[in-house]
């Protein structure tokens, strides 16, 4: 249950972070009806990019989170002030959201049935990804200037 609450909170934060930027970018374009479905994706991209830059240049993640949320609030207020032409979610937007959630649940069903939180948190994937690379480097590494025999 804690994993579901955490996943819901993560979805809410990504949606909040991307809502204003998506509304401003889509504005009066023909794609504006997809605003509701694309806001979490925009928020995720913004969080990843901003946290990477903030962690590299200025602040630890505990501080970067608050900076990102403050910036998202400012962008959301700007979207409201400009009265971005964003329709209520309907037909196509809800259909796209349902397809995305359905596809995710179908692909994560085996892990969810086993009771593994990895389906929602992505835990332990680094070990699987980098184990092969580290084995290769240990077995076939060469030193600069001379070959390892």
């Amino acid at each position: 249950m804690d994993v579901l609450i955490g996943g819901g909170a993560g979805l809410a934060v990504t949606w909040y972070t991307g809502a204003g930027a998506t509304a401003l970018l889509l504005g009066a374009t023909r794609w504006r009806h997809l605003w509701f479905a694309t806001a979490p994706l925009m928020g995720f991209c913004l969080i990843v990019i901003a946290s990477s830059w903030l962690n590299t240049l200025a602040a630890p993640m505990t501080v970067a989170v608050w900076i990102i949320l403050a910036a998202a609030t400012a962008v959301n207020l700007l979207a409201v002030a400009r009265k971005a032409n964003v329709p209520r979610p309907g037909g196509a937007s809800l259909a796209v959201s349902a397809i995305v959630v359905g596809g995710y649940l179908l692909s994560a069903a085996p892990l969810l049935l086993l009771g593994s939180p990895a389906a929602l948190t992505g835990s332990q994937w680094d070990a699987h990804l980098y184990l092969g690379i580290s084995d290769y480097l240990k077995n076939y590494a060469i030193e600069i200037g001379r070959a390892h025999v």
Side-chain angles (χ1 to χ4, degrees):
M1 187 61 165
D2 291 339
V3 174
L4 292 176
I5 292 170
L11 180 62
V13 168
T14 56
W15 190 87
Y16 179 79
T17 305
T22 305
L24 290 172
L25 288 174
L26 294 180
T29 66
R30 67 184 183 137
W31 301 105
R32 71 177 190 256
H33 63 280
L34 296 175
W35 167 80
F36 183 75
T38 56
L41 302 173
M42 173 69 82
F44 179 74
C45 292
L46 291 172
I47 289 170
V48 168
I49 293 168
S51 63
S52 175
W53 279 101
L54 287 169
N55 279 287
T56 301
L57 300 175
M61 196 61 189
T62 54
V63 176
V65 168
W66 296 108
I67 295 171
I68 292 168
L69 289 176
T73 301
V75 172
N76 289 341
L77 290 173
L78 178 65
V80 170
R82 288 192 177 181
K83 296 182 179 147
N85 187 12
V86 178
R88 291 183 174 259
S93 180
L94 293 177
V96 169
S97 298
I99 290 169
V100 169
V101 170
Y104 171 76
L105 290 175
L106 182 63
S107 65
L111 290 173
L112 292 172
L113 290 175
L114 290 173
S116 172
L120 299 172
T121 62
S123 59
Q124 303 300 324
W125 283 106
D126 285 345
H128 296 292
L129 289 173
Y130 298 120
L131 187 59
I133 295 170
S134 65
D135 282 345
Y136 175 83
L137 291 174
K138 285 190 279 184
N139 293 327
Y140 300 104
I142 58 171
E143 294 180 23
I144 296 176
R146 63 182 185 153
H148 178 70
V149 182

